[in-house]
Amino acid sequence: MAEADPDDTDAGSKNAVWVALIGNVLVAATKAGAAAFTGSSAMLSEAVHSFVDTGNEVLLLYGMRVAKKKADRDHPAGYGRELYFWSFIVALLVFALGAGVSIFQGVHRVISPQPIDNPIVSEVVLAAAFLFEGWSWVVSLRQFNKAKGPLGYYEAFVKSKDPPLFMVLFEDSAALIGIVIAAVGTVLAANFDMPRADGMSSILIGLVLACTSTLLARESKSLLIGEKADSQLIKSILEIANRSCGPSRANGVLTIQMAPDQIMAAMSFEFDDALSAPEIEEMIADIERRIHEAHPEVTSLFIKPQNPQQYTQTVRDRFGENVEEATREPQTPVTN
């Protein structure tokens, strides 16, 4: 992902979530009323989907708030991973409630098809829902484009450290696809004497949600168990350290992304033998200051004195067969 001001990114993500929440509340209430009035299975699936999305936005906002709590004695690394935990729960809810209920309802209606009453109501409601969801989708897409920089969409999704940023976009995209599927099913069932099309569209909506939740769960799990920071940020940290240390040299740095704006870093450093203890302390303080000024998201930095041989052995012991991947030099991203 392109480097951006953490405060701007956080504000943009929160704004996208709030817009999605407002849109989903309006859409869910409208769809639920239409489902009760028309008896449409696809409309019921869409209503469930929107209610699940509404709950998801609430959980994301809660996770974003709790992740800002200051570190304490019980949680010395802070609460940043709360956001990644709730993001993972959101992905599971999309699968268990959204996809599960839609597929179950669709199978039931395929086995026991029923005509749709007043299909014009469903069509009007779906059109309105498409406008609401489209508004939310445009907001989330603009924010994602701003954050992704020159990366492609999938690459930016995989490398993103900010779940609300891509979750809202994925949910809105799935919602728009689901609305189109529901509309097609409603038209076929009401106008072409194909009552099973309503149930089939519900199953297709469930499959779309299942695919979406699988992708979201995979990325959220990866962040939850601890991903490294962006490769370009790691490269920048090493360059700053090596510019500030004279004949001393940084061997390498290991990072863990604790939250979108919280990174923990551990640096291996070979200090010049001629330096005294006070000089080493002053150098470490200067390196920490410079890195924090350039990258305020690096909230914790630990520096360990090691010669290159000790560092290499430590990396081999930790990463084993993955040592080449772990120590690979960060590459400059290729623009589209």
Side-chain angles (χ1 to χ4, degrees), residues 249-253 266-270 302 304-307 311:
R249 183 167 181 79
N251 297 313
V253 61
M267 184 180 296
S268 172
F269 218 87
E270 183 183 22
F302 304 95
K304 180 178 182 178
Q306 279 185 317
N307 61 45
Y311 170 70

Side-chain angles (χ1 to χ4, degrees), residues 116-233:
I116 297 177
D117 298 325
N118 299 300
I120 189 64
V121 174
S122 293
E123 292 163 3
V124 171
V125 167
L126 289 172
F130 194 88
L131 292 177
F132 289 136
E133 293 286 2
W135 166 54
S136 175
W137 182 83
V138 168
V139 172
S140 59
L141 179 63
R142 285 176 178 172
Q143 185 58 34
F144 191 79
N145 282 336
K146 181 180 177 181
K148 80 180 186 66
L151 299 179
Y153 284 97
Y154 184 75
E155 185 180 7
F157 161 63
V158 172
K159 292 186 176 182
S160 176
K161 311 300 182 183
D162 189 0
L165 193 63
F166 60 75
M167 281 193 154
V168 172
L169 181 61
F170 267 62
E171 287 181 358
D172 288 343
S173 299
L176 290 174
I177 294 172
I179 290 171
V180 172
I181 294 173
V184 171
T186 299
V187 170
L188 291 177
N191 301 311
F192 293 91
D193 193 26
M194 299 174 62
R196 285 187 172 83
D198 182 44
M200 290 299 299
S201 64
S202 183
I203 293 173
L204 289 175
I205 292 170
L207 293 177
V208 169
L209 293 178
C211 293
T212 301
S213 65
T214 300
L215 287 172
L216 295 179
R218 187 190 70 179
E219 293 306 315
S220 297
K221 185 204 73 170
S222 181
L223 289 166
L224 181 61
I225 64 178
E227 278 189 2
K228 70 180 181 68
D230 181 77
S231 296
Q232 296 306 306
L233 183 141

Side-chain angles (χ1 to χ4, degrees), residues 276-290:
S276 64
E279 289 173 328
I280 291 176
E281 292 172 358
E282 184 178 348
M283 180 184 293
I284 291 175
D286 182 58
I287 291 172
E288 290 178 336
R289 178 183 59 79
R290 290 172 183 266

Side-chain angles (χ1 to χ4, degrees), residues 63-64 66-69 77-88 163 220-228 255-262 264:
M64 295 173 77
V66 176
K68 294 295 184 182
K69 290 175 61 177
Y79 291 81
R81 286 190 177 178
E82 281 267 6
L83 176 58
Y84 295 155
F85 168 77
W86 289 111
S87 299
F88 186 67
S220 297
K221 185 204 73 170
S222 181
L223 289 166
L224 181 61
I225 64 178
E227 278 189 2
K228 70 180 181 68
T255 59
I256 298 178
Q257 193 84 32
M258 306 299 293
D261 59 348
Q262 298 175 30
M264 181 180 292

